[in-house]
Amino acid sequence: MTLDKPALRVLLWLLAAALLLAALAVAALFGAAHYYGRDLPSVASLRELQLSVPLRIYSRDGKLMGEFGSERRALLRFEDLPPRVVQAFLAAEDDRFFEHPGVDWQGLLRAALKYAATGEKSQGGSTITMQLARNVFLSSERTFTRKFKEILLALRIERELDKPQIMALYLNKIFLGERAYGVGAAALVYFGRDVGSLSLGETAVIAGLPKAPSRDNPVANPVRATERRDYVLRRMRELGYISRAEYEEAVAEPLVVQPYRPQVEVEADYVAEMVRAEMVARFGEEAYSRGLNVTTTVDASRQTAANAALRQALLEYDRRHGWRGAEAHIPAELLAQPQSPEFATALGRYAPVGGLQAAVVQAFDGNELALLTASGPLTLGDESFAWAKLDSAGLAPGDVVRIDSSGDAPRLAQIPEAQGALVALNPDDGAIEALVGGFDFFAGKFNRVTQARRQAGSGFKPFLYATAMAHGYTPASVLLDAPVVFDDPRLESTWRPENYGGDIKGPMRLREALVQSRNLVSIRLLMGIGIDTALDFIPRFGLPADRLPRDLTMALGSAVFTPLEMARGYATIANGGFVVDPYVIVEVRDSAGEIVERAQPRRACPECLLPPPVADETQPTPLPTAVADEAEAEWLPAEQAVDPAVAWLVGDMLHDVTVRGTAAKVAQLQRNDLAGKTGTTNDETDAWFNGFQRHHVAVVWVGFDQPTPLGRGEVGGRAALPAWMDYMRVALDGVPQERAPRPPGLVNVRIDRETGLLAAAGDPDAIFETVPQNAIPPAMENPQQHRDERNGLQELF
């Protein structure tokens, strides 16, 4: 067909207009590329991928206790990447990666057409190179401007880097959930293995994460993670990367997650969490990424001993109170296939708790217990479960139980319901050397050492006795152990306190009253010194004044304190009256090894209180080196809050508690330098032992998180003392025996054991007692009269 001249002229004008519009579009495109491109970062920075270095926490002897990081990474070179990993990501994200120039124009066209048809923006067309550009340089906002910048960067990246380099950077940088960046980290985080050891199904799980890593990861949503895995496997099959048999086997594979835990060298999770929280409080979120290395006061061997001691005490308590039944039950069809992945998955749901491994009952006849564990079959003889008093119907096949392998032979166990705490510190400066806040940190992060405020019971009495010693009483002072009845309007009803066991013994010297933990003597002692006097003096031991009750129940330990606060109080007795501040962080260094912070603890320093030695008067007398310059000192002198003579007297009385009193079991440790006090609250709700050697204090508490009686007879000497002894047996191994030297101002006198008065010359029953020089008891004027009066009182009781 021949066009006439007017039509030809219109066509030419239209063609010219189209060319002009095309030219303008190209110009606009290049203009936009120039405008946005000038502010885009250099691709060269991709070659220097900066890694976040996690926060690491160490014991004082350099053993790793914990690791916390905002990002987890494990860099891999392209040649180290298994081909299946690359194929899985190609199938999931960009199967034309090795063909396009960084931008998949076909995908972009599809996305544009979808937007034109529906008005919805989509992720279509984002190649691996574009994702790398976005993840490294751009935000995740879904705008056309960001998409345009993404395209420009992708093209620039493809010009400067080859395909293997881009793929390696992408697989090392991509966020894959659970703070894992890169496939190497994800393999460790989700499956606890190197990326080269992953199965095809596990590889597909990781490849399915980039679309929604926080939502679809196998820890947060196993069902969704399985769906994404199957999609990736299906795409790999369609692209010919895997065979049908491989596909079917991988789809049938159960998804078993093994969450990552740092390979710590000493278990101290409660301490690590305390330090983590402190570092975040000081440095914010940067604490997780700037490579801080924190050295703590924790001694690795003592920490390990503390873990074992507390757990053993709780397990022993649990055994004393009987079998509560199986923890769970696994269906018979799974039990019939113990080698199947499904059985392993079912058993894997029961993680170890406090070292107790899960096991499944295979058979039980009352005399022998056949079990299936993660490491294989196990058979227990009746001696291993005699404590549970099981008959042949006590356990059934499929029951899930726990095994305690901490001793010489495995034993049937159960997760204790009671809880406990153990803390040990150096009384000279407050350094925390061991701390266990419960049976298992991962079963409950509540730190009972620092957070559980519980009634102190008789463990409080030494502070009351110290108050009395500071106000004229001596260990030889005699008070009456006899019933008292109070009708105090501040109390809800008439109060009739009793000794544990209900007995009374009449007149008693204070030393004997503390050794035997006599409640009625303690009440009379508080009445004698006055409540206000006690309220004023007892906080000198570092105990919070606002928690001291303003009534006579204070004498029985009704005040509530944490185990760490009790340890601080006993440290003041052990170190001669100095108040130290418990601390756990020695120093903080950055990733370059430079010191960021260093502790400057307050230290008990008796020599700092002595007058300086006589020296050449023409020369200034220097202060001790450690405190000459407070800005650079490694420690500062602590406050002398309690008279050293008072602290020594109370410590000496507490030594007798461990020799012949309520903690006489301590003699089994065969040391003569230990002291301490048991503590038990009403209805055996709390059990304590607070004790020390001259340079080491340890406190143990046992009880239920919701105050509940532990059971008749579960006093401090039974429920808590064994853990203290097991710990001290290890903590003091190789430590020379040493008791605190007696300070000046104390003298030994011979007294009558019945009256506490100075004994008559030649009295064969007299005993020696240590008293302040200014508080020597008077002599008996009429020994026989005193004995008659004593005998009369004894008849009354």
Side-chain angles (χ1 to χ4, degrees), residues 460 463-473 525-541 545 548-550 554:
F460 179 81
F463 308 118
L464 175 63
Y465 277 65
T467 305
M469 300 296 127
H471 291 83
Y473 288 80
L525 184 62
L526 179 55
M527 294 171 63
I529 61 177
I531 291 176
D532 289 339
T533 299
L535 290 171
D536 178 67
F537 190 85
I538 289 174
R540 296 189 182 193
F541 291 89
L548 295 175
R550 293 183 167 273
M554 183 201 310

PDB file of all heavy atoms in Angstrom, residues 460 463-473 525-541 545 548-550 554:
ATOM      1  N   PHE A 460      21.596 -15.621 110.451  1.00  0.00           N
ATOM      2  CA  PHE A 460      21.658 -14.203 110.799  1.00  0.00           C
ATOM      3  C   PHE A 460      22.231 -13.980 112.203  1.00  0.00           C
ATOM      4  O   PHE A 460      22.720 -12.893 112.530  1.00  0.00           O
ATOM      5  CB  PHE A 460      20.244 -13.616 110.713  1.00  0.00           C
ATOM      6  CG  PHE A 460      20.140 -12.169 111.067  1.00  0.00           C
ATOM      7  CD1 PHE A 460      20.459 -11.182 110.142  1.00  0.00           C
ATOM      8  CD2 PHE A 460      19.709 -11.773 112.337  1.00  0.00           C
ATOM      9  CE1 PHE A 460      20.349  -9.840 110.466  1.00  0.00           C
ATOM     10  CE2 PHE A 460      19.599 -10.439 112.664  1.00  0.00           C
ATOM     11  CZ  PHE A 460      19.919  -9.467 111.728  1.00  0.00           C
ATOM     12  N   PHE A 463      25.502 -11.969 113.305  1.00  0.00           N
ATOM     13  CA  PHE A 463      25.495 -10.506 113.259  1.00  0.00           C
ATOM     14  C   PHE A 463      24.874  -9.928 114.533  1.00  0.00           C
ATOM     15  O   PHE A 463      25.304  -8.879 115.023  1.00  0.00           O
ATOM     16  CB  PHE A 463      24.736 -10.036 112.019  1.00  0.00           C
ATOM     17  CG  PHE A 463      25.229 -10.680 110.752  1.00  0.00           C
ATOM     18  CD1 PHE A 463      24.387 -11.477 109.988  1.00  0.00           C
ATOM     19  CD2 PHE A 463      26.544 -10.523 110.337  1.00  0.00           C
ATOM     20  CE1 PHE A 463      24.853 -12.086 108.827  1.00  0.00           C
ATOM     21  CE2 PHE A 463      27.008 -11.134 109.180  1.00  0.00           C
ATOM     22  CZ  PHE A 463      26.162 -11.916 108.430  1.00  0.00           C
ATOM     23  N   LEU A 464      23.883 -10.625 115.067  1.00  0.00           N
ATOM     24  CA  LEU A 464      23.294 -10.209 116.335  1.00  0.00           C
ATOM     25  C   LEU A 464      24.297 -10.387 117.474  1.00  0.00           C
ATOM     26  O   LEU A 464      24.453  -9.501 118.329  1.00  0.00           O
ATOM     27  CB  LEU A 464      22.029 -11.035 116.603  1.00  0.00           C
ATOM     28  CG  LEU A 464      21.343 -10.829 117.954  1.00  0.00           C
ATOM     29  CD1 LEU A 464      20.853  -9.393 118.091  1.00  0.00           C
ATOM     30  CD2 LEU A 464      20.178 -11.804 118.107  1.00  0.00           C
ATOM     31  N   TYR A 465      24.994 -11.512 117.484  1.00  0.00           N
ATOM     32  CA  TYR A 465      25.987 -11.762 118.530  1.00  0.00           C
ATOM     33  C   TYR A 465      27.138 -10.758 118.422  1.00  0.00           C
ATOM     34  O   TYR A 465      27.680 -10.312 119.444  1.00  0.00           O
ATOM     35  CB  TYR A 465      26.516 -13.191 118.425  1.00  0.00           C
ATOM     36  CG  TYR A 465      25.622 -14.216 119.099  1.00  0.00           C
ATOM     37  CD1 TYR A 465      24.326 -14.473 118.627  1.00  0.00           C
ATOM     38  CD2 TYR A 465      26.049 -14.928 120.204  1.00  0.00           C
ATOM     39  CE1 TYR A 465      23.504 -15.399 119.234  1.00  0.00           C
ATOM     40  CE2 TYR A 465      25.239 -15.868 120.831  1.00  0.00           C
ATOM     41  CZ  TYR A 465      23.953 -16.095 120.333  1.00  0.00           C
ATOM     42  OH  TYR A 465      23.146 -17.017 120.964  1.00  0.00           O
ATOM     43  N   ALA A 466      27.515 -10.401 117.212  1.00  0.00           N
ATOM     44  CA  ALA A 466      28.568  -9.405 117.047  1.00  0.00           C
ATOM     45  C   ALA A 466      28.131  -8.066 117.630  1.00  0.00           C
ATOM     46  O   ALA A 466      28.928  -7.353 118.265  1.00  0.00           O
ATOM     47  CB  ALA A 466      28.918  -9.249 115.575  1.00  0.00           C
ATOM     48  N   THR A 467      26.866  -7.702 117.435  1.00  0.00           N
ATOM     49  CA  THR A 467      26.339  -6.465 118.007  1.00  0.00           C
ATOM     50  C   THR A 467      26.451  -6.506 119.523  1.00  0.00           C
ATOM     51  O   THR A 467      26.846  -5.514 120.163  1.00  0.00           O
ATOM     52  CB  THR A 467      24.872  -6.267 117.590  1.00  0.00           C
ATOM     53  OG1 THR A 467      24.777  -6.322 116.168  1.00  0.00           O
ATOM     54  CG2 THR A 467      24.338  -4.938 118.083  1.00  0.00           C
ATOM     55  N   ALA A 468      26.130  -7.654 120.093  1.00  0.00           N
ATOM     56  CA  ALA A 468      26.233  -7.797 121.547  1.00  0.00           C
ATOM     57  C   ALA A 468      27.679  -7.677 122.007  1.00  0.00           C
ATOM     58  O   ALA A 468      27.973  -7.011 123.020  1.00  0.00           O
ATOM     59  CB  ALA A 468      25.644  -9.146 121.966  1.00  0.00           C
ATOM     60  N   MET A 469      28.619  -8.323 121.272  1.00  0.00           N
ATOM     61  CA  MET A 469      30.041  -8.243 121.653  1.00  0.00           C
ATOM     62  C   MET A 469      30.537  -6.795 121.614  1.00  0.00           C
ATOM     63  O   MET A 469      31.413  -6.400 122.377  1.00  0.00           O
ATOM     64  CB  MET A 469      30.902  -9.090 120.708  1.00  0.00           C
ATOM     65  CG  MET A 469      30.599 -10.565 120.658  1.00  0.00           C
ATOM     66  SD  MET A 469      30.886 -11.450 122.194  1.00  0.00           S
ATOM     67  CE  MET A 469      29.296 -12.227 122.397  1.00  0.00           C
ATOM     68  N   ALA A 470      29.994  -6.013 120.697  1.00  0.00           N
ATOM     69  CA  ALA A 470      30.410  -4.616 120.574  1.00  0.00           C
ATOM     70  C   ALA A 470      29.766  -3.742 121.636  1.00  0.00           C
ATOM     71  O   ALA A 470      30.127  -2.559 121.757  1.00  0.00           O
ATOM     72  CB  ALA A 470      30.054  -4.091 119.186  1.00  0.00           C
ATOM     73  N   HIS A 471      28.847  -4.296 122.415  1.00  0.00           N
ATOM     74  CA  HIS A 471      28.136  -3.500 123.418  1.00  0.00           C
ATOM     75  C   HIS A 471      28.191  -4.158 124.793  1.00  0.00           C
ATOM     76  O   HIS A 471      27.202  -4.163 125.539  1.00  0.00           O
ATOM     77  CB  HIS A 471      26.690  -3.271 122.975  1.00  0.00           C
ATOM     78  CG  HIS A 471      26.559  -2.361 121.793  1.00  0.00           C
ATOM     79  ND1 HIS A 471      26.705  -2.808 120.501  1.00  0.00           N
ATOM     80  CD2 HIS A 471      26.348  -1.017 121.723  1.00  0.00           C
ATOM     81  CE1 HIS A 471      26.559  -1.778 119.674  1.00  0.00           C
ATOM     82  NE2 HIS A 471      26.350  -0.681 120.384  1.00  0.00           N
ATOM     83  N   GLY A 472      29.339  -4.732 125.124  1.00  0.00           N
ATOM     84  CA  GLY A 472      29.582  -5.154 126.485  1.00  0.00           C
ATOM     85  C   GLY A 472      29.411  -6.626 126.788  1.00  0.00           C
ATOM     86  O   GLY A 472      29.834  -7.096 127.850  1.00  0.00           O
ATOM     87  N   TYR A 473      28.822  -7.392 125.908  1.00  0.00           N
ATOM     88  CA  TYR A 473      28.684  -8.826 126.138  1.00  0.00           C
ATOM     89  C   TYR A 473      29.977  -9.536 125.735  1.00  0.00           C
ATOM     90  O   TYR A 473      30.778  -9.014 124.938  1.00  0.00           O
ATOM     91  CB  TYR A 473      27.521  -9.405 125.344  1.00  0.00           C
ATOM     92  CG  TYR A 473      26.152  -9.019 125.869  1.00  0.00           C
ATOM     93  CD1 TYR A 473      25.603  -7.780 125.575  1.00  0.00           C
ATOM     94  CD2 TYR A 473      25.414  -9.905 126.650  1.00  0.00           C
ATOM     95  CE1 TYR A 473      24.343  -7.426 126.035  1.00  0.00           C
ATOM     96  CE2 TYR A 473      24.146  -9.566 127.121  1.00  0.00           C
ATOM     97  CZ  TYR A 473      23.618  -8.315 126.811  1.00  0.00           C
ATOM     98  OH  TYR A 473      22.375  -7.971 127.278  1.00  0.00           O
ATOM     99  N   LEU A 525      18.824 -12.020 123.952  1.00  0.00           N
ATOM    100  CA  LEU A 525      19.996 -11.191 123.658  1.00  0.00           C
ATOM    101  C   LEU A 525      19.571  -9.913 122.936  1.00  0.00           C
ATOM    102  O   LEU A 525      20.057  -8.817 123.258  1.00  0.00           O
ATOM    103  CB  LEU A 525      20.984 -11.985 122.806  1.00  0.00           C
ATOM    104  CG  LEU A 525      22.311 -11.300 122.476  1.00  0.00           C
ATOM    105  CD1 LEU A 525      23.097 -10.997 123.741  1.00  0.00           C
ATOM    106  CD2 LEU A 525      23.142 -12.173 121.537  1.00  0.00           C
ATOM    107  N   LEU A 526      18.664 -10.029 121.964  1.00  0.00           N
ATOM    108  CA  LEU A 526      18.180  -8.849 121.264  1.00  0.00           C
ATOM    109  C   LEU A 526      17.429  -7.926 122.220  1.00  0.00           C
ATOM    110  O   LEU A 526      17.549  -6.692 122.138  1.00  0.00           O
ATOM    111  CB  LEU A 526      17.272  -9.263 120.100  1.00  0.00           C
ATOM    112  CG  LEU A 526      16.661  -8.126 119.272  1.00  0.00           C
ATOM    113  CD1 LEU A 526      17.737  -7.197 118.727  1.00  0.00           C
ATOM    114  CD2 LEU A 526      15.832  -8.684 118.114  1.00  0.00           C
ATOM    115  N   MET A 527      16.676  -8.508 123.134  1.00  0.00           N
ATOM    116  CA  MET A 527      15.992  -7.693 124.135  1.00  0.00           C
ATOM    117  C   MET A 527      16.998  -6.956 125.005  1.00  0.00           C
ATOM    118  O   MET A 527      16.788  -5.784 125.376  1.00  0.00           O
ATOM    119  CB  MET A 527      15.101  -8.583 125.009  1.00  0.00           C
ATOM    120  CG  MET A 527      13.925  -9.216 124.272  1.00  0.00           C
ATOM    121  SD  MET A 527      13.060 -10.461 125.279  1.00  0.00           S
ATOM    122  CE  MET A 527      12.462  -9.458 126.641  1.00  0.00           C
ATOM    123  N   GLY A 528      18.110  -7.620 125.293  1.00  0.00           N
ATOM    124  CA  GLY A 528      19.117  -7.007 126.153  1.00  0.00           C
ATOM    125  C   GLY A 528      19.829  -5.836 125.507  1.00  0.00           C
ATOM    126  O   GLY A 528      20.080  -4.812 126.154  1.00  0.00           O
ATOM    127  N   ILE A 529      20.190  -5.973 124.244  1.00  0.00           N
ATOM    128  CA  ILE A 529      20.930  -4.890 123.587  1.00  0.00           C
ATOM    129  C   ILE A 529      19.991  -3.829 123.018  1.00  0.00           C
ATOM    130  O   ILE A 529      20.400  -2.677 122.811  1.00  0.00           O
ATOM    131  CB  ILE A 529      21.842  -5.420 122.469  1.00  0.00           C
ATOM    132  CG1 ILE A 529      21.014  -6.127 121.386  1.00  0.00           C
ATOM    133  CG2 ILE A 529      22.895  -6.354 123.035  1.00  0.00           C
ATOM    134  CD1 ILE A 529      21.855  -6.618 120.205  1.00  0.00           C
ATOM    135  N   GLY A 530      18.750  -4.206 122.747  1.00  0.00           N
ATOM    136  CA  GLY A 530      17.774  -3.270 122.216  1.00  0.00           C
ATOM    137  C   GLY A 530      17.682  -3.340 120.697  1.00  0.00           C
ATOM    138  O   GLY A 530      18.694  -3.463 120.002  1.00  0.00           O
ATOM    139  N   ILE A 531      16.461  -3.272 120.191  1.00  0.00           N
ATOM    140  CA  ILE A 531      16.243  -3.364 118.743  1.00  0.00           C
ATOM    141  C   ILE A 531      16.930  -2.221 118.012  1.00  0.00           C
ATOM    142  O   ILE A 531      17.533  -2.416 116.952  1.00  0.00           O
ATOM    143  CB  ILE A 531      14.732  -3.403 118.437  1.00  0.00           C
ATOM    144  CG1 ILE A 531      14.127  -4.727 118.930  1.00  0.00           C
ATOM    145  CG2 ILE A 531      14.478  -3.234 116.940  1.00  0.00           C
ATOM    146  CD1 ILE A 531      12.625  -4.829 118.767  1.00  0.00           C
ATOM    147  N   ASP A 532      16.840  -1.004 118.569  1.00  0.00           N
ATOM    148  CA  ASP A 532      17.453   0.143 117.893  1.00  0.00           C
ATOM    149  C   ASP A 532      18.966  -0.022 117.767  1.00  0.00           C
ATOM    150  O   ASP A 532      19.558   0.356 116.748  1.00  0.00           O
ATOM    151  CB  ASP A 532      17.122   1.432 118.638  1.00  0.00           C
ATOM    152  CG  ASP A 532      15.666   1.831 118.478  1.00  0.00           C
ATOM    153  OD1 ASP A 532      15.040   1.356 117.507  1.00  0.00           O
ATOM    154  OD2 ASP A 532      15.157   2.596 119.311  1.00  0.00           O
ATOM    155  N   THR A 533      19.585  -0.574 118.795  1.00  0.00           N
ATOM    156  CA  THR A 533      21.030  -0.806 118.743  1.00  0.00           C
ATOM    157  C   THR A 533      21.372  -1.786 117.627  1.00  0.00           C
ATOM    158  O   THR A 533      22.323  -1.587 116.865  1.00  0.00           O
ATOM    159  CB  THR A 533      21.532  -1.359 120.091  1.00  0.00           C
ATOM    160  OG1 THR A 533      21.267  -0.394 121.117  1.00  0.00           O
ATOM    161  CG2 THR A 533      23.025  -1.643 120.045  1.00  0.00           C
ATOM    162  N   ALA A 534      20.577  -2.847 117.513  1.00  0.00           N
ATOM    163  CA  ALA A 534      20.819  -3.841 116.456  1.00  0.00           C
ATOM    164  C   ALA A 534      20.596  -3.225 115.081  1.00  0.00           C
ATOM    165  O   ALA A 534      21.377  -3.451 114.145  1.00  0.00           O
ATOM    166  CB  ALA A 534      19.903  -5.044 116.656  1.00  0.00           C
ATOM    167  N   LEU A 535      19.538  -2.431 114.944  1.00  0.00           N
ATOM    168  CA  LEU A 535      19.257  -1.797 113.656  1.00  0.00           C
ATOM    169  C   LEU A 535      20.380  -0.859 113.235  1.00  0.00           C
ATOM    170  O   LEU A 535      20.651  -0.691 112.042  1.00  0.00           O
ATOM    171  CB  LEU A 535      17.939  -1.021 113.726  1.00  0.00           C
ATOM    172  CG  LEU A 535      16.655  -1.862 113.833  1.00  0.00           C
ATOM    173  CD1 LEU A 535      15.454  -0.966 114.112  1.00  0.00           C
ATOM    174  CD2 LEU A 535      16.434  -2.656 112.557  1.00  0.00           C
ATOM    175  N   ASP A 536      21.031  -0.255 114.204  1.00  0.00           N
ATOM    176  CA  ASP A 536      22.114   0.673 113.892  1.00  0.00           C
ATOM    177  C   ASP A 536      23.421  -0.039 113.581  1.00  0.00           C
ATOM    178  O   ASP A 536      24.186   0.405 112.719  1.00  0.00           O
ATOM    179  CB  ASP A 536      22.313   1.625 115.087  1.00  0.00           C
ATOM    180  CG  ASP A 536      23.455   2.586 114.855  1.00  0.00           C
ATOM    181  OD1 ASP A 536      23.332   3.448 113.967  1.00  0.00           O
ATOM    182  OD2 ASP A 536      24.495   2.465 115.552  1.00  0.00           O
ATOM    183  N   PHE A 537      23.692  -1.174 114.243  1.00  0.00           N
ATOM    184  CA  PHE A 537      25.010  -1.810 114.138  1.00  0.00           C
ATOM    185  C   PHE A 537      25.095  -2.838 113.020  1.00  0.00           C
ATOM    186  O   PHE A 537      26.101  -2.913 112.305  1.00  0.00           O
ATOM    187  CB  PHE A 537      25.366  -2.477 115.470  1.00  0.00           C
ATOM    188  CG  PHE A 537      26.795  -2.950 115.536  1.00  0.00           C
ATOM    189  CD1 PHE A 537      27.809  -2.083 115.904  1.00  0.00           C
ATOM    190  CD2 PHE A 537      27.129  -4.260 115.230  1.00  0.00           C
ATOM    191  CE1 PHE A 537      29.130  -2.504 115.971  1.00  0.00           C
ATOM    192  CE2 PHE A 537      28.449  -4.698 115.285  1.00  0.00           C
ATOM    193  CZ  PHE A 537      29.450  -3.813 115.654  1.00  0.00           C
ATOM    194  N   ILE A 538      24.071  -3.649 112.822  1.00  0.00           N
ATOM    195  CA  ILE A 538      24.149  -4.779 111.887  1.00  0.00           C
ATOM    196  C   ILE A 538      24.443  -4.356 110.456  1.00  0.00           C
ATOM    197  O   ILE A 538      25.180  -5.066 109.748  1.00  0.00           O
ATOM    198  CB  ILE A 538      22.883  -5.644 111.998  1.00  0.00           C
ATOM    199  CG1 ILE A 538      22.904  -6.390 113.342  1.00  0.00           C
ATOM    200  CG2 ILE A 538      22.776  -6.637 110.847  1.00  0.00           C
ATOM    201  CD1 ILE A 538      21.641  -7.167 113.655  1.00  0.00           C
ATOM    202  N   PRO A 539      23.952  -3.206 109.964  1.00  0.00           N
ATOM    203  CA  PRO A 539      24.316  -2.794 108.596  1.00  0.00           C
ATOM    204  C   PRO A 539      25.811  -2.582 108.389  1.00  0.00           C
ATOM    205  O   PRO A 539      26.260  -2.500 107.240  1.00  0.00           O
ATOM    206  CB  PRO A 539      23.533  -1.486 108.410  1.00  0.00           C
ATOM    207  CG  PRO A 539      22.343  -1.633 109.302  1.00  0.00           C
ATOM    208  CD  PRO A 539      22.877  -2.359 110.517  1.00  0.00           C
ATOM    209  N   ARG A 540      26.579  -2.522 109.454  1.00  0.00           N
ATOM    210  CA  ARG A 540      28.032  -2.398 109.301  1.00  0.00           C
ATOM    211  C   ARG A 540      28.646  -3.602 108.595  1.00  0.00           C
ATOM    212  O   ARG A 540      29.760  -3.522 108.083  1.00  0.00           O
ATOM    213  CB  ARG A 540      28.699  -2.222 110.677  1.00  0.00           C
ATOM    214  CG  ARG A 540      28.307  -0.952 111.408  1.00  0.00           C
ATOM    215  CD  ARG A 540      29.161  -0.764 112.637  1.00  0.00           C
ATOM    216  NE  ARG A 540      28.768   0.429 113.402  1.00  0.00           N
ATOM    217  CZ  ARG A 540      29.504   0.953 114.378  1.00  0.00           C
ATOM    218  NH1 ARG A 540      30.658   0.389 114.707  1.00  0.00           N
ATOM    219  NH2 ARG A 540      29.082   2.009 115.025  1.00  0.00           N
ATOM    220  N   PHE A 541      27.932  -4.708 108.570  1.00  0.00           N
ATOM    221  CA  PHE A 541      28.421  -5.903 107.888  1.00  0.00           C
ATOM    222  C   PHE A 541      28.086  -5.882 106.394  1.00  0.00           C
ATOM    223  O   PHE A 541      28.314  -6.866 105.696  1.00  0.00           O
ATOM    224  CB  PHE A 541      27.833  -7.154 108.536  1.00  0.00           C
ATOM    225  CG  PHE A 541      28.359  -7.415 109.924  1.00  0.00           C
ATOM    226  CD1 PHE A 541      27.731  -6.863 111.022  1.00  0.00           C
ATOM    227  CD2 PHE A 541      29.492  -8.180 110.112  1.00  0.00           C
ATOM    228  CE1 PHE A 541      28.227  -7.088 112.301  1.00  0.00           C
ATOM    229  CE2 PHE A 541      29.994  -8.416 111.381  1.00  0.00           C
ATOM    230  CZ  PHE A 541      29.360  -7.860 112.478  1.00  0.00           C
ATOM    231  N   ALA A 545      20.125  -2.125 105.403  1.00  0.00           N
ATOM    232  CA  ALA A 545      19.419  -1.729 106.615  1.00  0.00           C
ATOM    233  C   ALA A 545      17.914  -1.736 106.440  1.00  0.00           C
ATOM    234  O   ALA A 545      17.168  -2.016 107.391  1.00  0.00           O
ATOM    235  CB  ALA A 545      19.893  -0.334 107.043  1.00  0.00           C
ATOM    236  N   LEU A 548      15.867  -4.938 107.577  1.00  0.00           N
ATOM    237  CA  LEU A 548      15.891  -5.441 108.945  1.00  0.00           C
ATOM    238  C   LEU A 548      14.550  -5.156 109.613  1.00  0.00           C
ATOM    239  O   LEU A 548      14.115  -4.003 109.660  1.00  0.00           O
ATOM    240  CB  LEU A 548      17.016  -4.771 109.737  1.00  0.00           C
ATOM    241  CG  LEU A 548      18.442  -5.073 109.262  1.00  0.00           C
ATOM    242  CD1 LEU A 548      19.441  -4.243 110.052  1.00  0.00           C
ATOM    243  CD2 LEU A 548      18.759  -6.550 109.391  1.00  0.00           C
ATOM    244  N   PRO A 549      13.867  -6.178 110.126  1.00  0.00           N
ATOM    245  CA  PRO A 549      12.567  -5.948 110.780  1.00  0.00           C
ATOM    246  C   PRO A 549      12.740  -5.209 112.113  1.00  0.00           C
ATOM    247  O   PRO A 549      13.740  -5.388 112.812  1.00  0.00           O
ATOM    248  CB  PRO A 549      12.034  -7.373 111.001  1.00  0.00           C
ATOM    249  CG  PRO A 549      13.251  -8.233 111.039  1.00  0.00           C
ATOM    250  CD  PRO A 549      14.245  -7.601 110.116  1.00  0.00           C
ATOM    251  N   ARG A 550      11.762  -4.406 112.454  1.00  0.00           N
ATOM    252  CA  ARG A 550      11.822  -3.622 113.690  1.00  0.00           C
ATOM    253  C   ARG A 550      11.057  -4.317 114.820  1.00  0.00           C
ATOM    254  O   ARG A 550      10.260  -3.701 115.524  1.00  0.00           O
ATOM    255  CB  ARG A 550      11.255  -2.221 113.451  1.00  0.00           C
ATOM    256  CG  ARG A 550      12.093  -1.389 112.510  1.00  0.00           C
ATOM    257  CD  ARG A 550      11.556   0.010 112.332  1.00  0.00           C
ATOM    258  NE  ARG A 550      12.552   0.858 111.678  1.00  0.00           N
ATOM    259  CZ  ARG A 550      13.503   1.530 112.308  1.00  0.00           C
ATOM    260  NH1 ARG A 550      13.585   1.451 113.615  1.00  0.00           N
ATOM    261  NH2 ARG A 550      14.374   2.258 111.645  1.00  0.00           N
ATOM    262  N   MET A 554      13.560 -10.370 114.376  1.00  0.00           N
ATOM    263  CA  MET A 554      14.888 -10.196 113.802  1.00  0.00           C
ATOM    264  C   MET A 554      15.876 -11.200 114.388  1.00  0.00           C
ATOM    265  O   MET A 554      16.766 -11.701 113.696  1.00  0.00           O
ATOM    266  CB  MET A 554      15.401  -8.773 114.071  1.00  0.00           C
ATOM    267  CG  MET A 554      16.745  -8.470 113.451  1.00  0.00           C
ATOM    268  SD  MET A 554      17.631  -7.081 114.218  1.00  0.00           S
ATOM    269  CE  MET A 554      16.403  -5.816 114.247  1.00  0.00           C
TER     270      MET A 554
END
